[in-house]
């Protein structure tokens, strides 16, 4: 097993996760099997308790792990399935050491950060790196480890120490350190400044780690003399200094690395030059280039809690993007804060209210994503009602499906107080109820999490067709509430169709309105399994319906399409591709450091 460690310096928000995923991708394109580990030095055991509006979405894995959103980048770029242990946090490491201490495993020794915590980190990395994640047997060839945070952070110190020891233990030729840093350009003189990178490399060396490769974020390609200076002060050869300048979409990042021969530099450090081939990125390249050329728009209104952090719904945005690129459309996401659609806002702030409704009405499709808590529920119900009555394509995910059922019960069955017991525990018409898989009295550990099976009830429905007429599908879940099974018959008699259920038939997984152009609600989160080139079936349905192309998509033979499961995203073509050595083909409108790899719409690919 060979290891590539990716660290970050100078500032956070450099796009380290995307860089690490792209490194994994080019190594995979060279024919190697790649896995990855993300280290988050925070104290939380996992991301499950963290607010998506502060930290970005909670990404859910097949095994039910609630993890950092960077694991989503790895799964999407490398087309792999990770486990919860692929996300290491300080909380997990300390918990395992403290558990061992309580069991008496340390035989009376004083338990300390060095060596006990640092040993636990190394053992964890070694153990998890061996888990196959690509559907093949046996361990991968290379494990990409991303260390979250910035060099110098107090909380990452035990990890740096552990990884320093680890690099020494696995030995030269088995460990490659890539340091992602920033080379700012001062607008007054237009000069690329190397000092911040020099300082952060010095910090890294002071902690016992020497970088093999520098990946420098900058607005433009590094001048040769700037590279020479960095090389001299950081002791990294000039050919091992890569520039990651601003590009029009993040799919260009692996191509930037490839064009600057980053794969050769990495393979050389890892002694893999003789076993790896030239990177085959033809399909990837076509998609990155196609994306830049798309101009026909499809507008999707995302009706959720919106606090300015688009990462809160990262996988949903990615899934929409995969589907729109597959349909040859340029995605425009209109963020509609659910609260702004409510009558309260009309009274207090009519301009905001009108703006929100205008956005919703201008959309080609409406998406109500998952969520917790009752803020904005009324607005989501109004948006869903609008989509149902005006025959606008609609996709409701998790809470979005529950909202669709509540709205139907209120408007069509006339049950005015129909509600979820999450929002009104005393409702007389509980159409969504607390239905955990475990205890019904304890909230802790009662979430239905991870991959669960859905069986189609009828094959003549849009969702079954979109999934390629399979009899069942496996998708990821994260919820506690469910459609009340006692109300299903009543709802079905009035036209709502529960086209997918779990094995017991008690949990409603998919709901559809058969006589609507596209009205689908799902209890699961299909966004987590969407991949570039293999869009999630239901997102494809939404985008196709929003562009008036659903009929032709439904007629296609989905078995021969790369949807859902299936192999690989890379072909073996040898087409020559455009190189980007001399500057970005299209610069983002906003060149700020926090906005790296974002395109002009503010939608990150
Ligand atoms: N709050 C709802 C539940 O717990 C929906 C959760 C979600 O959308 N992820 O069932």
């Amino acid at each position: 097993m060979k290891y590539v460690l990716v660290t970050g310096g100078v500032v956070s928000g450099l796009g380290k996760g995307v860089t690490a995923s792209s490194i994994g991708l080019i190594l995979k394109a060279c024919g190697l099997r790649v896995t990855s580990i993300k280290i988050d030095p925070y104290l939380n055991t996992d991301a499950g308790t963290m607010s998506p509006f502060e930290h970005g979405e909670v990404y859910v894995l097949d095994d039910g792990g609630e993890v950092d959103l960077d694991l989503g980048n790895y799964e999407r770029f490398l087309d792999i399935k990770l486990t919860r242990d692929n996300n290491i946090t300080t909380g997990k490491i300390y918990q395992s050491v403290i558990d061992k201490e309580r069991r008496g495993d340390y035989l009376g020794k004083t338990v300390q950060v060095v060596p006990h915590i640092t040993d636990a980190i190394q053992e964890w990395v070694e153990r998890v790196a061996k888990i196959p994640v690509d559907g093949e047997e046996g361990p991968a060839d290379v494990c990409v480890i991303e260390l979250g945070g910035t060099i110098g952070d107090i909380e990452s110190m035990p990890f740096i120490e552990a990884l320093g020891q680890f690099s020494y233990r696995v030995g030269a030729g088995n460990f490659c350190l890539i340091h992602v840093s920033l080379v700012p350009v001062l607008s007054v003189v237009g000069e690329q400044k190397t000092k911040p990178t020099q300082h952060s490399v010095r910090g890294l060396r002071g902690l016992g780690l020497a970088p093999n490769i520098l990946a420098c974020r900058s607005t433009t390609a590094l001048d040769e003399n700037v590279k020479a200076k960095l090389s001299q002060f950081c002791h990294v050869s000039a050919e091992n200094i890569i520039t990651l300048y601003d590009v029009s979409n993040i799919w260009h990042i692996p191509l930037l690395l490839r064009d600057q021969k980053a794969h050769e530099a990495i393979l050389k450090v890892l002694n893999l030059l003789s076993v790896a081939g030239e990177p085959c990125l033809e399909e990837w390249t076509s998609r990155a280039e196609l994306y830049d050329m798309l101009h026909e728009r499809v507008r999707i209104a995302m009706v959720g809690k919106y606090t300015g952090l688009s990462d809160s719904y990262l996988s949903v945005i990615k899934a929409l993007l995969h589907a729109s690129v597959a349909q040859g459309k340029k995605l425009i996401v209109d963020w509609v804060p659910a609260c702004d659609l409510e009558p309260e806002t009309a009274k207090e702030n009519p301009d905001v209210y009108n703006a929100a409704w205008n956005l919703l009405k201008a959309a080609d499709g409406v998406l109500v994503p998952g969520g917790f808590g009752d803020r904005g529920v009324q607005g989501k119900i109004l948006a869903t009602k609008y989509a149902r009555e005006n025959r606008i394509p609609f996709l409701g995910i998790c809470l979005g499906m529950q909202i669709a059922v509540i709205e139907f019960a209120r408007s069509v069955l006339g049950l005015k107080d129909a509600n979820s017991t999450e929002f009104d525990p005393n409702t007389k018409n509980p159409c969504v109820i607390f239905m955990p898989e475990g205890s019904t009295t304890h909230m802790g550990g009662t979430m239905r999490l991870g991959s669960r099976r859905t069986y189609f009830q009828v094959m003549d429905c849009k969702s079954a067709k979109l999934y390629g007429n399979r009899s069942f599908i496996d998708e990821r879940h994260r919820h506690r509430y469910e459609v009340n099974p006692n109300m299903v018959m009543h709802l079905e008699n009035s036209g709502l169709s529960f086209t997918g259920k779990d094995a017991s038939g008690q949990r409603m997984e998919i709901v559809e309105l058969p006589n609507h152009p596209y009205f689908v609600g799902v209890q699961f989160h299909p966004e987590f399994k969407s991949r570039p080139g293999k869009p999630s079936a239901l997102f494809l349905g939404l985008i196709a319906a929003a562009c008036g192309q659903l009929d032709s998509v439904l007629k296609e033979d989905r078995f021969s399409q790369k949807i859902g499961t299936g192999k690989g995203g890379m072909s073996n073509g040898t087409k020559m591709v455009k190189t980007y050595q001399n500057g970005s083909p299209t610069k983002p409108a906003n060149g700020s450091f926090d906005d790296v790899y974002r395109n002009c719409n503010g939608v990150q690919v």
Side-chain angles (χ1 to χ4, degrees):
M1 172 72 64
K2 310 269 179 176
Y3 298 91
V4 175
L5 172 63
V6 181
T7 58
V10 184
V11 288
S12 59
L14 282 177
K16 189 155 38 83
V18 173
T19 307
S21 309
S22 303
I23 288 165
L25 178 77
I26 52 163
L27 293 177
K28 181 175 172 180
C30 290
L32 297 166
R33 289 178 57 212
V34 182
T35 180
S36 77
I37 293 177
K38 169 81 197 287
I39 298 176
D40 283 305
Y42 46 67
L43 277 165
N44 305 56
T45 313
D46 63 32
T49 53
M50 296 168 86
S51 163
F53 301 101
E54 264 175 47
H55 195 80
E57 77 174 359
V58 177
Y59 191 77
V60 181
L61 300 170
D62 263 3
D63 67 4
E66 297 173 281
V67 294
D68 188 84
L69 55 78
D70 272 323
L71 276 85
N73 283 328
Y74 290 114
E75 285 205 338
R76 282 185 287 268
F77 269 57
L78 299 175
D79 196 17
I80 53 177
K81 281 186 185 157
L82 296 168
T83 72
R84 68 175 76 229
D85 284 355
N86 290 72
N87 193 188
I88 305 181
T89 65
T90 298
K92 279 184 190 167
I93 295 289
Y94 271 74
Q95 197 164 50
S96 74
V97 170
I98 291 169
D99 287 349
K100 259 172 112 175
E101 185 271 333
R102 289 291 82 188
R103 280 200 308 266
D105 289 0
Y106 293 109
L107 306 173
K109 289 245 167 8
T110 308
V111 182
Q112 294 177 299
V113 173
V114 183
H116 301 101
I117 293 291
T118 47
D119 280 353
I121 294 168
Q122 294 178 67
E123 281 156 23
W124 193 299
V125 167
E126 230 170 358
R127 173 174 61 83
V128 172
K130 290 200 191 102
I131 303 173
V133 293
D134 55 0
E136 309 273 323
E137 274 181 28
D141 303 309
V142 181
C143 176
V144 177
I145 307 167
E146 179 194 346
L147 176 62
T150 309
I151 294 303
D153 295 346
I154 289 178
E155 52 187 10
S156 56
M157 291 299 178
F159 291 102
I160 305 261
E161 174 61 29
L163 291 162
Q165 290 182 18
F166 190 70
S167 71
Y168 177 69
R169 205 168 60 152
V170 296
N174 293 317
F175 193 89
C176 175
L177 172 52
I178 303 178
H179 188 57
V180 183
S181 179
L182 173 73
V183 175
V185 180
L186 292 192
S187 50
V188 200
V189 275
E191 206 185 332
Q192 296 173 325
K193 306 302 278 181
T194 61
K195 196 70 88 190
T197 303
Q198 289 183 41
H199 277 300
S200 93
V201 170
R202 195 169 302 152
L204 200 55
R205 286 186 179 281
L207 297 167
L209 282 169
N212 302 99
I213 293 171
L214 291 180
C216 300
R217 285 281 305 128
S218 194
T219 44
T220 49
L222 291 189
D223 292 341
E224 285 309 314
N225 63 334
V226 173
K227 272 194 188 177
K229 196 167 169 186
L230 277 173
S231 170
Q232 191 180 1
F233 285 108
C234 302
H235 311 177
V236 173
S237 65
E239 65 265 26
N240 284 13
I241 300 177
I242 314 288
T243 325
L244 300 174
Y245 49 78
D246 296 348
V247 284
S248 51
N249 72 65
I250 61 167
W251 292 336
H252 285 290
I253 303 298
L255 309 178
L256 263 186
L257 292 170
R258 187 264 325 264
D259 292 343
Q260 294 175 62
K261 304 216 179 311
H263 56 290
E264 282 180 17
I266 301 167
L267 294 171
K268 208 155 141 192
V269 175
L270 296 178
N271 274 338
L272 285 173
L273 266 180
S274 55
V275 282
E278 275 298 304
C280 296
L281 286 164
E282 195 192 44
E283 194 182 319
W284 190 274
T285 308
S286 326
R287 199 165 33 244
E289 290 176 354
L290 168 72
Y291 178 73
D292 291 335
M293 289 179 321
L294 297 175
H295 57 274
E296 255 182 72
R297 299 174 167 209
V298 55
R299 302 194 86 94
I300 301 296
M302 276 267 288
V303 185
K305 272 190 208 174
Y306 184 48
T307 53
L309 184 65
S310 58
D311 277 2
S312 325
Y313 299 109
L314 189 68
S315 293
V316 174
I317 300 294
K318 301 284 180 192
L320 283 171
L321 209 65
H322 301 159
S324 27
V325 171
Q327 286 302 110
K329 293 288 183 298
K330 186 177 177 68
L331 174 69
I332 308 289
V333 176
D334 285 323
W335 299 93
V336 182
C339 294
D340 294 357
L341 297 168
E342 296 174 356
E344 277 293 284
T345 312
K347 273 188 254 147
E348 284 162 16
N349 207 335
D351 289 348
V352 168
Y353 175 82
N354 289 332
W357 274 100
N358 287 342
L359 269 186
L360 185 71
K361 288 180 180 169
D364 304 311
V366 174
L367 193 151
V368 179
F372 294 83
D374 61 0
R375 205 166 69 91
V377 161
Q378 184 53 23
K380 290 177 194 171
I381 291 178
L382 290 168
T384 307
K385 184 177 169 68
Y386 173 80
R388 183 179 58 77
E389 291 181 343
N390 294 281
R391 303 175 64 74
I392 311 293
F394 169 89
L395 179 61
I397 296 176
C398 207
L399 178 62
M401 162 179 172
Q402 298 170 0
I403 294 279
V405 172
I406 297 168
E407 192 282 315
F408 190 86
R410 287 187 187 178
S411 305
V412 181
L413 304 189
L415 306 172
K416 295 287 168 249
D417 84 329
N419 214 333
S420 164
T421 53
E422 182 179 8
F423 313 127
D424 179 5
N426 303 318
T427 172
K428 291 209 185 59
N429 291 293
C431 50
V432 178
I433 56 169
F434 183 44
M435 220 170 110
E437 281 182 333
S439 161
T440 47
T441 48
H442 291 84
M443 283 297 252
T446 53
M447 190 94 86
R448 190 160 178 255
L449 269 173
S451 185
R452 296 285 185 281
R453 191 152 284 186
T454 295
Y455 294 88
F456 286 105
Q457 306 299 305
V458 280
M459 294 320 273
D460 188 21
C461 63
K462 294 185 186 81
S463 54
K465 286 182 190 154
L466 284 163
Y467 273 106
N469 298 313
R470 281 184 258 167
S471 56
F472 64 83
I473 47 157
D474 294 319
E475 292 279 12
R476 298 177 184 175
H477 294 67
R478 183 172 187 250
H479 62 109
R480 289 191 181 87
Y481 292 81
E482 304 264 1
V483 174
N484 186 348
N486 296 332
M487 287 182 74
V488 165
M489 211 158 54
H490 198 15
L491 291 159
E492 288 211 305
N493 288 342
S494 298
L496 210 54
S497 175
F498 292 95
T499 53
K501 297 183 185 174
D502 78 335
S504 73
Q506 292 301 295
R507 294 175 194 274
M508 303 306 120
E509 293 281 6
I510 310 177
V511 63
E512 287 184 48
L513 267 180
N515 52 8
H516 184 286
Y518 190 80
F519 190 96
V520 177
V522 281
Q523 193 54 75
F524 48 80
H525 290 268
E527 67 271 25
F528 294 133
K529 284 172 77 173
S530 184
R531 302 280 183 267
K534 288 197 279 179
S536 163
L538 298 178
F539 280 85
L540 192 72
L542 175 70
I543 297 291
C547 310
Q549 295 168 344
L550 184 62
D551 281 347
S552 59
V553 166
L554 289 179
K555 277 193 206 108
E556 285 167 26
D557 174 11
R558 303 239 68 84
F559 282 115
S560 60
Q561 293 282 308
K562 280 187 271 166
I563 281 224
T565 53
K567 285 287 297 167
M570 285 170 290
S571 65
N572 289 319
T574 50
K575 189 179 137 215
M576 284 297 292
V577 288
K578 138 172 117 199
T579 59
Y580 301 127
Q581 298 279 21
N582 300 319
S584 59
T586 330
K587 275 232 202 92
N590 177 349
S592 79
F593 299 129
D594 287 333
D595 227 357
V596 286
Y597 309 154
R598 273 164 208 270
N599 73 12
C600 313
N601 287 327
V603 176
Q604 205 183 357
V605 181

